[in-house]
């Protein structure tokens, strides 16, 4: 998936050079306000940030936050669901106005999109099954085992840059998955020994499956999570940042965290 | 003065280094039935296909009535409307009934209305004795029936001349008779026919002239009486008697 | 979430699956047939170009074409995910369908064409009235196969965010942790779609079959 994404992004850059120069650059904020609608991308397969409730509607920390932001922008919210890997390219390509999907800041991503101010902070976690006999006292120890991670995430980047590239973790021992629940499945059936992911969603998985346990928790690849915005649109960023600060000051975000992240 | 319908002058056909036939001259007058005989592979079929412009000769000319059909710029499709051809393997259109087969040329080429085409097609099918099989598909017809439909299909276009390329060679012996009978009737009705065949009985009885071809040349030609009883060349005599022996036996058994 | 809600959430993606298929398959057939006719009857240079087309579009993973069309091409023309997906699949299918039709055309003996010419039909008339009707019957079985493939390949548009069956199964599976149930449900729906389609095509094949006495 990642290969195709890079290809697509490369093509967009070429296309943007050819087409974008000729077209007038209208601010996305203008477009949103004129249409009275903001289209936001998310990948609703990541509880408790974004997932489906019993009625099949989107719900979660990110979802409720975004709904409030749209309300304060004074526009209607149109959700567009896409696989996580496709979201950044979609914003860069103008297919979406913005995206919220538990994105961490990433240099690679920053080349084609912008980030809002952080609206929350996350941590990383390593998860194993009760059958695990190894030791993980430091994060680098996972290099000794078979590791799984969601593809295109900051965890993926961290593992690749810090363990695979220096040769500590053989490429063959790192399995990348399209979604974190796929990785969790493989963890449960023994194909991988350690899963690296975002603390909060992983914690949700652990709560549902007594066989899983978290053996490490800390800030490695993660940290602040942001909304992904179109590249270079200062007005839109200013507006979104303003609202985020407002919500933080009011305690709205803290309330959401309690609602969705309580253990 | 007999009027030539088909005139072939100096016709040569080669495939690569192989010479199929060379410097052939042949004339077919109106109402004639010309039968070409000879060993297989001597270019008889190729000759017919040249007449029908399905293959182009390397040298020489062919005239249909007064039109030189080998000339550059001839409308081949138009020419073929006036030449009817019957094939060794029948080659009926598999997806059409007998009636459909006969009608196709009438509706597509002659642009007749469906009604008129059906009428004409049924007339031809009746002529070959298959009116009651009009709604049968080729897969439901015997070989002899298929070939008769093939003849009706060619006749429907009201051709100036009919070409027969070994029309009975692919048939079971019992079915040969019905086809030869249709051909004999046609000849009696005055149709101009050029027939390639091994059927000596037919040649003897029906042909106005027999042409013996071998190795790409016309060895001899003449009336059936001349060819069978007073052939000029020993090779002619040799071939005719060999074949007659073979086929004559078959005819005797069929009686 | 009870099973009824669960299943109906996944099943409501069927309309997208069917929609994508109903665009991709017929457009693939139209383009594929035209290209096949050009390939078989169009001369050497044309045949070479058709061969290139076939090689390219059968050689690219369909999802790559989807991305190119959606992200790159639609910088100029705005294509929705649904249309970008359906058209990409249509283009890919056209390459495979061209090969199917080409095979069927070649299977109709050259003698049929020759005989039609001998009756006086032009080349175009002969192809249209004699070769094509016979080729159609020969093409139905492999085409039925292609139809099944396109129905299943329609799931690829999930990558662009079209809420079809597979994507819905993924979402509901991840959200409820009931993965096996979600994917099994999806599998059953796909199976029913493919089964119904191939049955219909078999009925068509029987209806068109030319009668013969074996």
């Amino acid at each position: 998936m990642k290969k195709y994404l890079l290809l697509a992004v490369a093509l967009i850059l070429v296309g943007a050079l050819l087409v974008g120069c000729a077209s007038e650059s209208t601010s996305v904020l203008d477009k949103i306000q004129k249409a009275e609608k903001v289209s936001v991308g998310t990948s609703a397969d990541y509880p408790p940030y974004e997932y489906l409730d019993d009625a099949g509607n989107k719900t979660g920390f990110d979802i409720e936050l975004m709904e409030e932001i749209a309300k304060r922008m004074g526009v209607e919210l149109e959700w567009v669901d896409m696989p996580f890997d496709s979201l950044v390219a979609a914003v860069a390509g103008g297919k979406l106005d913005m995206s919220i999907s538990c994105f961490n800041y990433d240099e690679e991503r920053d080349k084609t999109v912008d980030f809002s101010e952080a609206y929350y902070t996350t941590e990383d976690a390593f998860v194993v099954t009760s059958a695990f006999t190894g030791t993980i006292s430091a994060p680098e120890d996972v290099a000794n085992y078979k590791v799984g991670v969601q593809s295109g995430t900051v965890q993926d980047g961290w593992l690749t840059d810090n363990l695979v590239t220096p040769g500590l973790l053989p490429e063959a021992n790192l399995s990348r998955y399209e979604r974190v629940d796929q990785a969790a499945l493989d963890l449960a059936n023994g194909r991988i020994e350690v899963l690296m992911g975002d603390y909060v969603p992983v914690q949700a998985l652990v709560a549902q499956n007594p066989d899983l346990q978290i053996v490490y928790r800390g800030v490695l690849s993660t940290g602040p999570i942001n909304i992904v915005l179109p590249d270079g649109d200062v007005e839109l960023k200013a507006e979104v940042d303003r609202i985020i600060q407002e919500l933080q000051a009011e305690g709205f975000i803290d309330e959401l965290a309690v609602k969705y992240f309580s253990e | 003065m007999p009027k030539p319908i088909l005139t072939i002058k100096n016709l040569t056909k080669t495939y690569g280094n192989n010479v199929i036939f060379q410097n052939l001259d042949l004339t077919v007058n109106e109402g004639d039935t010309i039968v070409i005989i000879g060993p297989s592979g001597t270019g008889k079929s190729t000759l017919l296909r040249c007449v029908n412009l399905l293959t182009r000769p390397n040298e020489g000319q062919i005239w249909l009535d007064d039109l030189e059909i080998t000339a550059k710029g001839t409308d081949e499709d138009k020419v073929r409307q006036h030449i009817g051809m019957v094939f060794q393997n029948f080659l009926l259109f598999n997806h059409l009934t007998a009636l459909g087969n006969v009608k196709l040329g009438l509706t597509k080429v002659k642009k007749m209305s469906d009604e008129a085409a059906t009428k004409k097609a049924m007339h031809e099918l009746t002529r070959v004795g298959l009116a009651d099989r009009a709604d049968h598909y080729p897969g439901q017809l015997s070989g002899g029936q298929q070939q008769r439909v093939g003849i009706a299909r060619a006749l429907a276009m009201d051709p100036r001349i009919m070409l027969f390329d070994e029309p009975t060679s692919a048939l079971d012996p019992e079915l040969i008779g019905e086809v030869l009978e249709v051909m004999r009737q046609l000849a009696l009705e005055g149709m101009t026919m050029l027939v390639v065949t091994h059927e000596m009985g037919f040649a003897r009885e029906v042909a106005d002239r027999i042409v013996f071809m071998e190795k790409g040349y016309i060895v001899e030609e003449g009336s059936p009486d001349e060819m069978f009883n007073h052939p000029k060349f020993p090779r002619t005599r040799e071939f005719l008697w060999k074949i007659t022996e073979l086929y004559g036996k078959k005819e005797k058994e069929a009686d | 979430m009870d099973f009824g809600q669960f299943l109906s959430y996944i099943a409501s993606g069927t309309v997208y699956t069917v929609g994508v298929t109903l665009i991709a398959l017929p457009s693939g057939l139209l383009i594929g047939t035209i290209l096949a006719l050009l390939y078989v009857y169009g001369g050497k240079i044309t045949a070479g170009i058709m061969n290139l087309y076939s090689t390219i579009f059968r050689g690219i993973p369909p999802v790559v074409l989807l991305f190119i069309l959606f992200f790159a091409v639609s910088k100029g023309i705005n294509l929705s995910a649904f249309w970008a997906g359906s058209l990409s699949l249509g283009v890919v299918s056209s390459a495979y369908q061209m090969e199917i039709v080409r095979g069927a055309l070649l299977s109709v003996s050259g003698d049929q064409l020759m005989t039609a010419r001998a009756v006086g039909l032009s080349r175009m008339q002969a192809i249209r009235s004699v070769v094509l009707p016979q080729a159609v019957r020969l093409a139905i079985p492999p085409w039925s196969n292609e139809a099944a493939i396109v129905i299943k390949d329609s799931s690829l548009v999930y990558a662009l965010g079209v809420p079809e069956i597979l994507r819905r199964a993924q979402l509901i599976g991840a959200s409820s942790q009931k993965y096996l149930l979600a994917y099994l449900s999806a599998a059953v729906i796909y199976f029913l779609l493919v089964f119904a389609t191939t049955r219909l095509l078999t009925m068509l094949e029987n209806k068109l079959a030319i009668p013969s006495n074996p």
Side-chain angles (χ1 to χ4, degrees):
Chain A
M1 265 311 234
K2 206 172 183 189
K3 274 189 292 181
Y4 304 147
L5 200 55
L6 288 176
L7 168 69
V9 169
L11 286 163
I12 295 167
L13 292 177
V14 172
L17 278 171
L18 297 172
V19 178
C21 301
S23 62
E24 36 163 310
S25 35
T26 29
S27 126
V28 177
L29 181 59
D30 281 343
K31 170 186 157 261
I32 293 171
Q33 281 165 345
K34 261 205 198 91
E36 288 178 6
K37 189 176 74 167
V38 62
S39 82
V40 183
T42 190
S43 184
D45 54 18
Y46 205 64
Y49 286 101
E50 44 268 333
Y51 61 104
L52 300 178
D53 65 16
D54 278 356
N57 298 317
K58 289 189 181 54
T59 186
F61 179 80
D62 281 347
I63 305 293
E64 276 204 47
L65 175 60
M66 193 65 224
E67 277 169 358
E68 185 62 30
I69 293 177
K71 197 159 128 204
R72 297 200 181 195
M73 279 174 83
V75 297
E76 203 187 306
L77 173 56
E78 179 194 31
W79 283 115
V80 178
D81 166 75
M82 265 191 207
F84 182 76
D85 259 353
S86 304
L87 288 168
V88 170
V91 174
K95 295 290 179 179
L96 299 169
D97 296 328
M98 59 182 76
S99 178
I100 188 168
S101 207
C102 197
F103 283 104
N104 292 104
Y105 174 82
D106 178 282
E107 258 174 47
E108 201 58 47
R109 292 172 183 156
D110 202 17
K111 291 180 185 158
T112 54
V113 293
D114 275 348
F115 291 87
S116 73
E117 209 180 271
Y119 60 86
Y120 199 69
T121 304
T122 64
E123 296 172 286
D124 295 299
F126 291 117
V127 188
V128 299
T129 61
S130 52
F132 187 68
T133 51
T135 335
I136 298 182
S137 37
E140 290 72 28
D141 289 345
V142 297
N144 301 322
Y145 309 101
K146 290 203 215 119
V147 186
V149 71
Q150 185 181 10
S151 141
T153 55
V154 285
Q155 286 86 6
D156 184 358
W158 186 87
L159 287 166
T160 309
D161 293 337
N162 294 302
L163 298 182
V164 176
T165 311
L168 296 166
L169 174 63
E171 180 85 44
N173 280 353
L174 177 61
S175 302
R176 294 184 175 85
Y177 300 86
E178 205 175 50
R179 301 185 318 277
V180 81
D181 60 86
Q182 284 174 320
L185 265 174
D186 265 8
L187 181 65
N189 64 36
R191 282 213 189 86
I192 53 173
E193 295 166 296
V194 185
L195 165 60
M196 180 181 184
D198 241 46
Y199 174 73
V200 170
V202 148
Q203 170 60 23
L205 287 171
V206 166
Q208 295 224 352
N209 186 344
D211 192 40
L212 301 178
Q213 57 203 58
I214 295 179
V215 292
Y216 179 88
R217 171 184 175 180
V219 175
L220 294 167
S221 69
T222 52
I225 50 175
N226 325 75
I227 296 174
V228 165
L229 299 167
D231 207 28
D233 196 321
V234 280
E235 289 164 359
L236 182 59
K237 178 168 158 66
E239 174 71 358
V240 171
D241 284 351
R242 180 187 68 81
I243 299 176
I244 290 177
Q245 280 160 14
E246 226 173 66
L247 292 171
Q248 240 145 19
E250 289 170 26
F252 180 85
I253 297 187
D254 284 334
E255 274 171 35
L256 274 187
V258 167
K259 179 175 176 190
Y260 285 103
F261 299 155
S262 304
E263 297 163 29
Chain B
M1 183 64 192
K3 183 175 169 255
I5 297 229
L6 185 72
T7 315
I8 299 171
K9 270 215 177 91
N10 211 23
L11 210 67
T12 302
K13 176 70 185 168
T14 56
Y15 273 137
N17 289 330
N18 285 340
V19 176
I20 310 293
F21 49 75
Q22 259 183 35
N23 307 115
L24 281 186
D25 291 323
L26 188 65
T27 307
V28 183
N29 291 321
E30 190 163 9
D32 275 358
T33 299
I34 311 291
V35 175
I36 305 179
I37 59 174
S40 292
T42 51
K44 308 187 307 266
S45 287
T46 314
L47 177 61
L48 288 189
R49 301 182 83 229
C50 280
V51 172
N52 205 1
L53 297 178
L54 290 174
T55 310
R56 277 283 175 176
N58 297 79
E59 268 177 54
Q61 294 152 308
I62 304 176
W63 281 265
L64 183 68
D65 289 315
D66 297 321
L67 177 69
E68 190 200 332
I69 63 178
T70 42
K72 264 205 173 107
T74 319
D75 185 345
E76 291 182 3
D77 294 334
K78 205 141 186 279
V79 168
R80 291 196 197 104
Q81 287 180 40
H82 301 293
I83 302 176
M85 188 145 177
V86 178
F87 300 90
Q88 180 174 344
N89 291 314
F90 335 133
L91 297 183
L92 294 185
F93 303 130
N94 298 312
H95 64 299
L96 298 174
T97 59
L99 181 63
N101 264 272
V102 181
K103 267 171 75 175
L104 188 67
L106 298 173
T107 50
K108 297 286 169 194
V109 180
K110 296 220 153 133
K111 309 274 195 238
M112 290 169 84
S113 74
D114 193 69
E115 236 189 289
T118 307
K119 202 160 164 229
K120 169 80 171 148
M122 284 307 293
H123 169 79
E124 299 301 345
L125 281 173
T126 312
R127 207 168 156 193
V128 302
L130 285 173
D132 59 338
R133 294 275 196 272
D135 59 349
H136 280 50
Y137 285 88
Q140 298 170 308
L141 298 170
S142 74
Q145 292 167 334
Q146 286 187 54
Q147 191 60 296
R148 285 190 279 151
V149 174
I151 296 174
R153 177 176 65 181
L155 286 176
M157 301 296 279
D158 290 324
R160 296 288 288 149
I161 178 172
M162 287 279 282
L163 307 176
F164 291 83
D165 188 1
E166 298 203 35
T168 57
S169 297
L171 289 174
D172 284 337
E174 295 168 317
L175 303 173
I176 293 178
E178 67 195 61
V179 174
L180 289 181
E181 181 51 34
V182 168
M183 289 166 69
R184 197 179 70 90
Q185 267 303 116
L186 279 180
L188 284 177
E189 287 166 15
M191 172 64 76
T192 312
M193 297 163 54
L194 185 55
V195 182
V196 171
T197 185
H198 294 306
E199 294 293 326
M200 291 300 125
F202 177 84
R204 218 188 211 152
E205 270 185 45
V206 184
D208 292 301
R209 239 166 57 238
I210 298 177
V211 173
F212 175 44
M213 258 180 86
E214 189 177 43
K215 297 204 181 93
Y217 288 98
I218 293 178
V219 176
E220 193 174 343
E221 63 179 286
S223 73
D225 179 58
E226 284 166 10
M227 296 291 278
F228 276 95
N229 299 324
H230 325 286
K232 291 199 199 98
F233 293 89
R235 181 68 191 120
T236 312
R237 178 187 336 224
E238 198 189 317
F239 180 82
L240 278 176
W241 281 112
K242 253 212 181 88
I243 294 284
T244 315
E245 228 174 31
L246 185 65
Y247 280 78
K249 272 206 188 107
K250 266 210 300 217
E251 274 186 1
K252 283 213 179 85
E253 282 162 21
D255 279 324
Chain C
M1 188 182 243
D2 67 35
F3 183 65
Q5 286 174 305
F6 191 87
L7 192 59
S8 77
Y9 181 77
I10 299 175
S12 53
T14 308
V15 63
Y16 291 96
T17 299
V18 170
V20 170
T21 306
L22 284 180
I23 294 171
L25 206 52
S27 59
L29 179 62
L30 184 63
I31 300 172
T33 303
I34 295 172
L35 296 183
L37 286 168
L38 286 172
Y39 198 149
V40 177
Y41 299 113
K44 257 204 170 126
I45 300 177
T46 315
I49 300 173
M50 295 303 119
N51 194 21
L52 189 63
Y53 180 93
S54 172
T55 311
I56 291 176
F57 289 112
R58 289 188 305 152
I60 302 182
V63 77
V64 172
L65 195 60
L66 249 80
F67 276 126
I68 292 177
L69 215 63
F70 184 59
F71 288 117
V73 170
S74 54
K75 259 278 176 178
I77 335 151
N78 196 24
L79 281 172
S80 72
F82 178 80
W83 282 100
S86 308
L87 292 174
S88 309
L89 289 177
V91 168
V92 169
S93 184
S94 75
Y96 287 96
Q97 294 201 46
M98 175 179 81
E99 293 295 340
I100 291 174
V101 176
R102 174 174 164 246
L105 288 171
L106 292 173
S107 296
V108 177
S109 148
D111 280 345
Q112 289 286 303
L113 186 56
M114 177 199 68
T115 312
R117 302 301 304 280
V119 170
L121 271 74
S122 72
R123 195 154 187 253
M124 276 255 279
Q125 285 175 322
I127 293 170
R128 215 183 27 209
S129 306
V130 172
V131 177
L132 267 178
Q134 296 184 57
V136 163
R137 289 158 171 99
L138 291 170
I140 294 181
W143 199 83
S144 174
N145 198 38
E146 175 67 14
I149 290 173
V150 172
I151 291 173
K152 289 179 285 180
D153 269 1
S154 72
S155 62
L156 291 172
V157 300
Y158 90 94
L160 304 178
V162 178
E164 45 72 61
I165 297 173
L166 179 61
R167 181 63 182 155
R168 285 168 181 260
Q170 287 176 345
L171 291 179
I172 203 83
S175 301
S176 67
Q177 304 272 301
K178 295 202 179 89
Y179 318 104
L180 190 58
L181 190 59
Y183 290 115
L184 268 177
S185 308
V188 167
I189 299 174
Y190 278 114
F191 172 78
L192 289 172
L193 286 172
V194 170
F195 182 73
T197 306
T198 46
R199 284 293 247 128
L200 274 170
L201 287 170
T202 306
M203 280 166 57
L204 180 67
E205 191 184 352
N206 291 335
K207 186 153 184 274
L208 288 179
I210 300 166
S212 70
N213 303 331

